[in-house]
mmCIF file of all heavy atoms in Angstrom:
data_model
loop_
_atom_site.group_PDB
_atom_site.id
_atom_site.type_symbol
_atom_site.label_atom_id
_atom_site.label_comp_id
_atom_site.label_asym_id
_atom_site.label_seq_id
_atom_site.Cartn_x
_atom_site.Cartn_y
_atom_site.Cartn_z
ATOM 1 N N GLU A 66 -37.000 46.510 43.443
ATOM 2 C CA GLU A 66 -36.655 47.865 43.898
ATOM 3 C C GLU A 66 -37.886 48.743 43.948
ATOM 4 O O GLU A 66 -38.072 49.526 44.883
ATOM 5 C CB GLU A 66 -35.573 48.452 42.973
ATOM 6 C CG GLU A 66 -35.045 49.800 43.426
ATOM 7 C CD GLU A 66 -34.338 49.704 44.798
ATOM 8 O OE1 GLU A 66 -33.767 48.668 45.122
ATOM 9 O OE2 GLU A 66 -34.458 50.709 45.535
ATOM 10 N N LEU A 67 -38.736 48.624 42.918
ATOM 11 C CA LEU A 67 -39.979 49.383 42.903
ATOM 12 C C LEU A 67 -40.891 48.968 44.091
ATOM 13 O O LEU A 67 -41.497 49.844 44.728
ATOM 14 C CB LEU A 67 -40.754 49.204 41.585
ATOM 15 C CG LEU A 67 -40.140 49.840 40.326
ATOM 16 C CD1 LEU A 67 -40.934 49.470 39.112
ATOM 17 C CD2 LEU A 67 -40.086 51.357 40.491
ATOM 18 N N ALA A 68 -40.939 47.692 44.358
ATOM 19 C CA ALA A 68 -41.738 47.225 45.502
ATOM 20 C C ALA A 68 -41.191 47.769 46.817
ATOM 21 O O ALA A 68 -41.974 48.159 47.714
ATOM 22 C CB ALA A 68 -41.767 45.691 45.532
ATOM 23 N N ARG A 69 -39.860 47.803 46.933
ATOM 24 C CA ARG A 69 -39.273 48.401 48.138
ATOM 25 C C ARG A 69 -39.654 49.875 48.276
ATOM 26 O O ARG A 69 -39.959 50.342 49.389
ATOM 27 C CB ARG A 69 -37.746 48.244 48.091
ATOM 28 C CG ARG A 69 -37.212 46.932 48.486
ATOM 29 C CD ARG A 69 -35.716 46.935 48.649
ATOM 30 N NE ARG A 69 -35.198 45.593 48.783
ATOM 31 C CZ ARG A 69 -34.275 45.071 47.998
ATOM 32 N NH1 ARG A 69 -33.762 45.815 47.031
ATOM 33 N NH2 ARG A 69 -33.896 43.808 48.162
ATOM 34 N N LYS A 70 -39.594 50.582 47.171
ATOM 35 C CA LYS A 70 -39.956 52.002 47.203
ATOM 36 C C LYS A 70 -41.416 52.164 47.599
ATOM 37 O O LYS A 70 -41.744 53.031 48.422
ATOM 38 C CB LYS A 70 -39.690 52.670 45.863
ATOM 39 C CG LYS A 70 -38.226 52.911 45.573
ATOM 40 C CD LYS A 70 -37.987 53.557 44.231
ATOM 41 C CE LYS A 70 -36.517 53.699 43.896
ATOM 42 N NZ LYS A 70 -36.315 54.274 42.580
ATOM 43 N N ARG A 71 -42.280 51.366 46.996
ATOM 44 C CA ARG A 71 -43.711 51.423 47.339
ATOM 45 C C ARG A 71 -43.916 51.092 48.820
ATOM 46 O O ARG A 71 -44.719 51.744 49.511
ATOM 47 C CB ARG A 71 -44.528 50.493 46.461
ATOM 48 C CG ARG A 71 -44.772 51.028 45.071
ATOM 49 C CD ARG A 71 -45.832 50.244 44.350
ATOM 50 N NE ARG A 71 -45.493 48.810 44.228
ATOM 51 C CZ ARG A 71 -44.954 48.281 43.167
ATOM 52 N NH1 ARG A 71 -44.661 49.012 42.121
ATOM 53 N NH2 ARG A 71 -44.675 46.962 43.139
ATOM 54 N N ALA A 72 -43.215 50.087 49.291
ATOM 55 C CA ALA A 72 -43.325 49.688 50.706
ATOM 56 C C ALA A 72 -42.873 50.820 51.606
ATOM 57 O O ALA A 72 -43.525 51.111 52.658
ATOM 58 C CB ALA A 72 -42.547 48.411 50.973
ATOM 59 N N ARG A 73 -41.765 51.484 51.236
ATOM 60 C CA ARG A 73 -41.288 52.615 52.040
ATOM 61 C C ARG A 73 -42.293 53.753 52.039
ATOM 62 O O ARG A 73 -42.580 54.370 53.087
ATOM 63 C CB ARG A 73 -39.938 53.103 51.525
ATOM 64 C CG ARG A 73 -38.749 52.495 52.240
ATOM 65 C CD ARG A 73 -37.481 53.082 51.732
ATOM 66 N NE ARG A 73 -37.282 52.326 50.446
ATOM 67 C CZ ARG A 73 -36.367 52.575 49.584
ATOM 68 N NH1 ARG A 73 -35.507 53.552 49.757
ATOM 69 N NH2 ARG A 73 -36.263 51.871 48.472
ATOM 70 N N ASP A 74 -42.876 54.016 50.844
ATOM 71 C CA ASP A 74 -43.889 55.073 50.736
ATOM 72 C C ASP A 74 -45.100 54.753 51.610
ATOM 73 O O ASP A 74 -45.592 55.609 52.353
ATOM 74 C CB ASP A 74 -44.296 55.293 49.297
ATOM 75 C CG ASP A 74 -43.200 55.877 48.442
ATOM 76 O OD1 ASP A 74 -42.213 56.429 49.034
ATOM 77 O OD2 ASP A 74 -43.302 55.813 47.210
ATOM 78 N N VAL A 75 -45.540 53.501 51.517
ATOM 79 C CA VAL A 75 -46.688 53.082 52.309
ATOM 80 C C VAL A 75 -46.385 53.175 53.795
ATOM 81 O O VAL A 75 -47.197 53.607 54.597
ATOM 82 C CB VAL A 75 -47.159 51.653 51.909
ATOM 83 C CG1 VAL A 75 -48.152 51.079 52.896
ATOM 84 C CG2 VAL A 75 -47.733 51.649 50.503
ATOM 85 N N LEU A 76 -45.185 52.743 54.151
ATOM 86 C CA LEU A 76 -44.766 52.809 55.576
ATOM 87 C C LEU A 76 -44.712 54.260 56.068
ATOM 88 O O LEU A 76 -45.163 54.536 57.164
ATOM 89 C CB LEU A 76 -43.410 52.124 55.728
ATOM 90 C CG LEU A 76 -42.891 51.951 57.141
ATOM 91 C CD1 LEU A 76 -43.849 51.102 57.973
ATOM 92 C CD2 LEU A 76 -41.517 51.303 57.142
ATOM 93 N N GLN A 77 -44.158 55.133 55.227
ATOM 94 C CA GLN A 77 -44.079 56.527 55.630
ATOM 95 C C GLN A 77 -45.485 57.134 55.752
ATOM 96 O O GLN A 77 -45.776 57.881 56.703
ATOM 97 C CB GLN A 77 -43.279 57.338 54.593
ATOM 98 C CG GLN A 77 -41.788 57.075 54.695
ATOM 99 C CD GLN A 77 -41.002 57.809 53.597
ATOM 100 O OE1 GLN A 77 -41.593 58.348 52.667
ATOM 101 N NE2 GLN A 77 -39.692 57.793 53.701
ATOM 102 N N LYS A 78 -46.340 56.791 54.807
ATOM 103 C CA LYS A 78 -47.725 57.296 54.831
ATOM 104 C C LYS A 78 -48.443 56.779 56.089
ATOM 105 O O LYS A 78 -49.146 57.515 56.781
ATOM 106 C CB LYS A 78 -48.463 56.863 53.591
ATOM 107 C CG LYS A 78 -49.795 57.582 53.393
ATOM 108 C CD LYS A 78 -50.528 57.085 52.151
ATOM 109 C CE LYS A 78 -49.777 57.478 50.914
ATOM 110 N NZ LYS A 78 -50.509 57.112 49.696
ATOM 111 N N THR A 79 -48.218 55.520 56.374
ATOM 112 C CA THR A 79 -48.839 54.899 57.567
ATOM 113 C C THR A 79 -48.295 55.546 58.800
ATOM 114 O O THR A 79 -49.059 55.829 59.767
ATOM 115 C CB THR A 79 -48.569 53.379 57.579
ATOM 116 O OG1 THR A 79 -49.030 52.794 56.374
ATOM 117 C CG2 THR A 79 -49.258 52.689 58.742
ATOM 118 N N LYS A 80 -46.977 55.816 58.876
ATOM 119 C CA LYS A 80 -46.437 56.460 60.049
ATOM 120 C C LYS A 80 -47.023 57.848 60.202
ATOM 121 O O LYS A 80 -47.326 58.288 61.353
ATOM 122 C CB LYS A 80 -44.914 56.563 59.914
ATOM 123 C CG LYS A 80 -44.186 55.252 60.223
ATOM 124 C CD LYS A 80 -42.684 55.413 60.117
ATOM 125 C CE LYS A 80 -41.948 54.106 60.399
ATOM 126 N NZ LYS A 80 -40.499 54.238 60.290
ATOM 127 N N ALA A 81 -47.187 58.579 59.101
ATOM 128 C CA ALA A 81 -47.768 59.916 59.155
ATOM 129 C C ALA A 81 -49.199 59.833 59.666
ATOM 130 O O ALA A 81 -49.611 60.654 60.514
ATOM 131 C CB ALA A 81 -47.692 60.588 57.804
ATOM 132 N N GLN A 82 -49.965 58.879 59.141
ATOM 133 C CA GLN A 82 -51.343 58.735 59.604
ATOM 134 C C GLN A 82 -51.404 58.360 61.074
ATOM 135 O O GLN A 82 -52.240 58.877 61.808
ATOM 136 C CB GLN A 82 -52.067 57.678 58.769
ATOM 137 C CG GLN A 82 -52.347 58.126 57.331
ATOM 138 C CD GLN A 82 -52.954 56.990 56.486
ATOM 139 O OE1 GLN A 82 -52.895 55.828 56.880
ATOM 140 N NE2 GLN A 82 -53.522 57.373 55.359
ATOM 141 N N THR A 83 -50.491 57.484 61.489
ATOM 142 C CA THR A 83 -50.458 57.065 62.864
ATOM 143 C C THR A 83 -50.115 58.265 63.749
ATOM 144 O O THR A 83 -50.754 58.477 64.821
ATOM 145 C CB THR A 83 -49.414 55.948 63.070
ATOM 146 O OG1 THR A 83 -49.735 54.860 62.189
ATOM 147 C CG2 THR A 83 -49.386 55.484 64.498
ATOM 148 N N ALA A 84 -49.147 59.047 63.354
ATOM 149 C CA ALA A 84 -48.778 60.213 64.136
ATOM 150 C C ALA A 84 -49.959 61.193 64.218
ATOM 151 O O ALA A 84 -50.217 61.775 65.271
ATOM 152 C CB ALA A 84 -47.543 60.917 63.511
#
Side-chain angles (χ1 to χ4, degrees):
E66 186 61 33
L67 289 176
R69 278 191 192 123
K70 286 180 183 177
R71 282 193 302 264
R73 266 183 281 172
D74 291 344
V75 168
L76 187 61
Q77 286 175 350
K78 192 181 292 184
T79 304
K80 283 182 181 179
Q82 288 174 346
T83 303

